[in-house]
Amino acid sequence: MGPGSFEDNIREKFENQTYKSPEAIWDGIEGDLNLGLLASYEASQSRYKWMAVAAIMIAVSSWAFHFYSYEFLGNHKTETSYNALLSNDIDYSNYFLPVEVRSSRRIADKQLLIVEVYKKSESIPVDDEVISDFEPYRLANHMVPIKNKPGLAVANQEVYPYIQAGYYARSSKNTAEGTKLWAGVEAGAGNFNSTMSGSDAISGGVNPLNLANAIGSDGFVNPTTVVNPQMNNGLATTVGLDFGLKLGSRWTLESGIAYTNVDSRGSASINVLDVYTVNDREISDTDGGLLSGSPVIPDEGSREAPLQITEMYDHEVDLRNTVRFTSIPLKAGYFILDRKVSLRVNAGVAANYLVESQLNDPSRGIISGSQNDLYNDWSFDGVGGFELGYALFNKFDLTLEPNYRHSITPISSSQTSPSRFIIQTGLRYTLK
Amino acid sequence: MLVSEDKLIKGCQKGKREFQQALYDKYCDGMYLVALRYSKMQQEAEDILQEAFIKVFKNIKDFRKDSSLAYWIKRIVVNTALNHQRSKLYLYPMVDITELDHWSDRESIISGLNHSDLLSLIRELPTGCQVIFNLFAVEGYKHHEIAKMLEISEGTSKSQYSRAKSLLAEKVLNRERYNYGTGEL
């Protein structure tokens, strides 16, 4: 045998030869590849989580600041940001049943268990398609820390599930069969168009003494009529409870009760008849006739006599109107999207009951008191808008709902029908 | 999945799972044999293969077409196997030995084996002999290259290789005696 030929012979023996490898090896490789994907997901998730927390805190702080600020007028919005990348959106305990442990391998200090699982029930929709009962589905790789003995029974070991990215369809939030019922709390703010006319009721709240002091008159002041109160858009804030029912896969019915406080400011002109006496003055008729509102100035040498002066003019008064009412909405909604992020359009009606209305002049106290005559006890609004939801945890959803309310029967007793635009945020809990 | 090797490589570089599995399916059995040659137990070979392919997928972005894909993967498998054996080689360091029985016909004895029998006998060798036999006789490395890889002297590599051949030939003869029932084991 020549030099090198032994090694050539040995190499030829092994050339193009194969040996059947166990199938479980690929499972282990795949598990490691998924861990790599998870690591990159988790890194980005952590950033987005903290951004979402910061955005919510800023939104809540901003809303609270504006709610307690009496100088604020106009539209008021709260906003939250959503992290659409959180991965804990699937309740595996309700969704999958592990059937068997297919194989196990050791990777470093952990025991890797590969399980084959089956979907639980044919009535659970996934991506709006019903999956048949026993469709096999590979779940995630379960990494188990090896404790004392590698052969420790599966049931006694802790299981840390890892989601196998891209290996399943993301489910809708329908984790329960049939109708879904939820309850929640909401808070919101918006504008309120509080233009009103019909000043008769206002005049009843005028305090003549305070008016006279404001004018500086020593005589008798008689307010006649208030002309054209001009109110700016007010700030409406609302808190409430809501509950809803999901009918089928997309339709919803929702109701609740909300308490709304509206704060608006403006001004009004009070037409004043001011009558007072001028003493120790000589009077004479100069050009004939006394003009209304014109003081008479006596000439020299004229006889002194007390003079009663009557003036009529408009006195501007600042107004602040606070209205409180409860509202019971009834809305139908339709889910355009119902996954971890949901989008629902809704429309309906709301019945409003007036609790209290206060109209006053903040600075001088010229106008004060309850002015319930300005508003109707009962009124009805048409409500429309959409709701953006985000599934925070199992059964908890965060919602953002801008909606517009237009009066069907006006809340104001004036001819003008105030409308309002409100943005509400809420937290919703799925009861079943 | 039947695709060209270029598409397979590109798909794996993009991290697409179906291409990764196709590449694994294509080379796993051949590389498993390589892993078996460097291990003593099946579990060990499985660990080597799994670890090697994880490295393949992580580093395939750096693959350059200056060598074939199969050769590149095989080098990764061999290096992974050596890493696994390095701890054993450290515990049981190889030393230069004087070959007492220098058979002239041991190569012919070994050459008569088929690859399955040769594989099982190689796996029975001491770790150092096993590694060096594989690297020199099967992979085609030179002794000075082996010495550098294993941080031993060239003389140690040569003597361990010679010892490997002697042990293999002895095992072949022992098997033949056992098969013929001589009772002299």
Side-chain angles (χ1 to χ4, degrees):
Chain A
M1 190 175 295
S5 60
F6 168 73
E7 285 76 25
D8 290 338
N9 185 271
I10 298 297
R11 268 193 286 278
E12 273 176 26
K13 286 182 192 297
F14 286 107
E15 200 168 339
N16 298 325
Q17 295 293 339
T18 60
Y19 199 99
K20 183 67 184 155
S21 60
E23 288 184 10
I25 294 178
W26 169 250
D27 297 332
I29 294 168
E30 201 171 27
D32 190 89
L33 293 173
N34 291 337
L35 287 177
L37 282 173
L38 260 182
S40 62
Y41 275 140
E42 285 172 357
S44 60
Q45 281 164 24
S46 180
R47 284 198 301 274
Y48 285 115
K49 267 184 191 172
W50 285 113
M51 284 168 61
V53 168
I56 290 171
M57 287 179 67
I58 290 170
V60 171
S61 303
S62 176
W63 175 82
F65 172 76
H66 288 301
F67 178 77
Y68 289 108
S69 170
Y70 291 113
E71 299 303 316
F72 180 82
L73 293 174
N75 291 338
H76 187 146
K77 290 184 181 179
T78 60
E79 291 182 348
T80 61
S81 63
Y82 297 94
N83 174 10
L85 296 180
L86 286 178
S87 65
N88 296 327
D89 61 336
I90 294 181
D91 180 7
Y92 280 100
S93 61
N94 281 336
Y95 205 73
F96 294 112
L97 273 177
V99 175
E100 63 177 34
V101 176
R102 194 172 156 213
S103 64
S104 67
R105 288 196 49 73
R106 182 186 298 190
I107 295 180
D109 61 345
K110 290 187 173 57
Q111 190 81 5
L112 174 67
L113 304 178
I114 314 300
V115 295
E116 287 280 357
V117 297
Y118 294 84
K119 285 197 173 49
K120 190 172 179 181
S121 164
E122 65 180 357
S123 64
I124 295 177
V126 174
D127 282 341
D128 292 325
E129 292 177 9
V130 176
I131 307 296
S132 61
D133 244 354
F134 297 107
E135 181 176 326
Y137 215 76
R138 178 169 303 167
L139 187 59
N141 303 300
H142 286 58
M143 295 292 286
V144 183
I146 295 174
K147 294 190 178 171
N148 294 325
K149 297 178 184 177
L152 196 63
V154 170
N156 294 330
Q157 300 192 41
E158 287 180 70
V159 176
Y160 301 96
Y162 287 80
I163 295 173
Q164 198 168 8
Y167 221 77
Y168 56 85
R170 293 186 73 174
S171 73
S172 69
K173 290 184 290 184
N174 288 336
T175 56
E177 298 176 9
T179 308
K180 189 167 95 169
L181 184 66
W182 74 81
V185 292
E186 286 184 330
N191 72 335
F192 183 84
N193 179 357
S194 56
T195 302
M196 61 178 112
S197 62
S199 57
D200 292 345
I202 299 178
S203 62
V206 173
N207 185 323
L209 184 60
N210 287 347
L211 178 59
N213 289 336
I215 292 170
S217 171
D218 295 329
F220 169 74
V221 167
N222 179 29
T224 56
T225 56
V226 176
V227 178
N228 294 329
Q230 298 294 327
M231 302 300 293
N232 299 320
N233 280 347
L235 170 65
T237 53
T238 178
V239 292
L241 302 171
D242 81 307
F243 48 88
L245 199 63
K246 191 168 182 185
L247 307 169
S249 63
R250 299 235 184 218
W251 289 97
T252 63
L253 203 58
E254 190 177 353
S255 185
I257 184 163
Y259 180 79
T260 303
N261 181 85
V262 178
D263 186 32
S264 56
R265 300 202 179 196
S267 63
S269 297
I270 301 178
N271 188 250
V272 174
L273 185 67
D274 191 4
V275 179
Y276 58 92
T277 302
V278 177
N279 291 321
D280 301 324
R281 291 275 189 257
E282 288 188 355
I283 53 172
S284 67
D285 186 359
T286 55
D287 296 325
L290 283 173
L291 295 175
S292 171
S294 302
V296 173
I297 301 174
D299 292 333
E300 277 189 29
S302 59
R303 176 173 59 86
E304 288 190 1
L307 177 66
Q308 189 173 32
I309 304 295
T310 302
E311 291 188 57
M312 184 179 286
Y313 53 89
D314 291 335
H315 179 73
E316 291 290 322
V317 175
D318 292 331
L319 287 182
R320 182 182 175 192
N321 184 211
T322 304
V323 186
R324 299 187 180 98
F325 54 90
T326 57
S327 178
I328 299 173
L330 181 65
K331 296 184 285 187
Y334 180 81
F335 273 107
I336 295 174
L337 179 69
D338 186 19
R339 292 179 189 267
K340 188 164 180 67
V341 176
S342 63
L343 179 64
R344 180 166 67 109
V345 290
N346 50 59
V349 293
N352 308 308
Y353 177 72
L354 179 70
V355 174
E356 184 186 31
S357 170
Q358 290 276 347
L359 184 69
N360 56 48
D361 162 27
S363 56
R364 299 292 182 94
I366 297 171
I367 296 175
S368 62
S370 175
Q371 297 292 342
N372 288 352
D373 291 344
L374 290 173
Y375 298 96
N376 296 318
D377 286 343
W378 283 98
S379 62
F380 295 89
D381 294 335
V383 182
F386 66 91
E387 179 194 86
L388 193 60
Y390 178 70
L392 276 176
F393 314 106
N394 188 23
K395 295 191 178 184
F396 277 96
D397 290 57
L398 194 63
T399 60
L400 179 70
E401 183 180 355
N403 62 65
Y404 179 77
R405 298 189 173 207
H406 190 81
S407 298
I408 297 174
T409 60
I411 192 168
S412 167
S413 59
S414 69
Q415 292 179 355
T416 306
S417 297
S419 60
R420 54 194 184 279
F421 177 76
I422 292 182
I423 291 187
Q424 291 173 282
T425 61
L427 191 64
R428 191 167 64 198
Y429 177 74
T430 302
L431 294 169
K432 67 162 190 165
Chain B
M1 185 179 180
L2 295 174
V3 291
S4 66
E5 192 164 282
D6 277 344
K7 282 188 181 173
L8 205 58
I9 294 167
K10 280 180 185 166
C12 291
Q13 286 173 339
K14 288 177 185 172
K16 292 188 178 175
R17 190 56 52 85
E18 58 270 26
F19 288 94
Q20 289 172 331
Q21 185 161 10
L23 185 139
Y24 173 81
D25 290 339
K26 187 174 178 182
Y27 293 108
C28 63
D29 291 341
M31 297 305 143
Y32 187 54
L33 181 61
V34 174
L36 281 171
R37 282 196 282 109
Y38 285 90
S39 59
K40 295 205 181 303
M41 298 193 318
Q42 190 159 332
Q43 179 77 36
E44 201 177 350
E46 290 172 8
D47 290 344
I48 290 169
L49 184 69
Q50 181 172 309
E51 205 175 310
F53 267 95
I54 289 170
K55 288 181 190 173
V56 164
F57 294 128
K58 281 185 182 168
N59 295 299
I60 197 160
K61 285 179 185 170
D62 303 326
F63 173 69
R64 303 285 174 262
K65 291 180 186 173
D66 46 3
S67 63
S68 72
L69 182 62
Y71 179 70
W72 183 74
I73 294 174
K74 189 179 178 185
R75 275 205 351 248
I76 292 176
V77 174
V78 169
N79 287 333
T80 306
L82 290 180
N83 287 336
H84 268 253
Q85 303 304 342
R86 226 176 274 282
S87 57
K88 293 178 194 170
L89 294 173
Y90 177 76
L91 287 174
Y92 303 103
M94 290 178 278
V95 293
D96 201 347
I97 50 177
T98 305
E99 194 57 38
L100 295 177
D101 298 318
H102 191 83
W103 302 349
S104 58
D105 59 345
R106 58 187 177 175
E107 290 182 355
S108 61
I109 293 171
I110 298 167
S111 297
L113 295 170
N114 61 38
H115 84 278
S116 297
D117 290 337
L118 184 57
L119 173 67
S120 64
L121 289 180
I122 288 172
R123 295 177 78 195
E124 290 175 15
L125 289 173
T127 303
C129 295
Q130 179 185 14
V131 167
I132 290 173
F133 185 86
N134 275 311
L135 288 173
F136 186 84
V138 186
E139 315 303 347
Y141 287 101
K142 302 286 188 288
H143 281 298
H144 69 271
E145 291 171 327
I146 295 170
K148 201 172 175 183
M149 285 161 71
L150 301 180
E151 296 176 4
I152 55 176
S153 69
E154 195 174 331
T156 301
S157 175
K158 288 177 181 173
S159 64
Q160 290 288 331
Y161 177 62
S162 180
R163 183 169 179 242
K165 287 196 288 186
S166 299
L167 287 172
L168 283 173
E170 192 178 319
K171 286 179 187 296
V172 172
L173 291 175
N174 285 339
R175 277 197 182 182
E176 284 175 357
R177 281 184 209 134
Y178 181 78
N179 286 338
Y180 286 119
T182 60
E184 292 179 15
L185 281 174

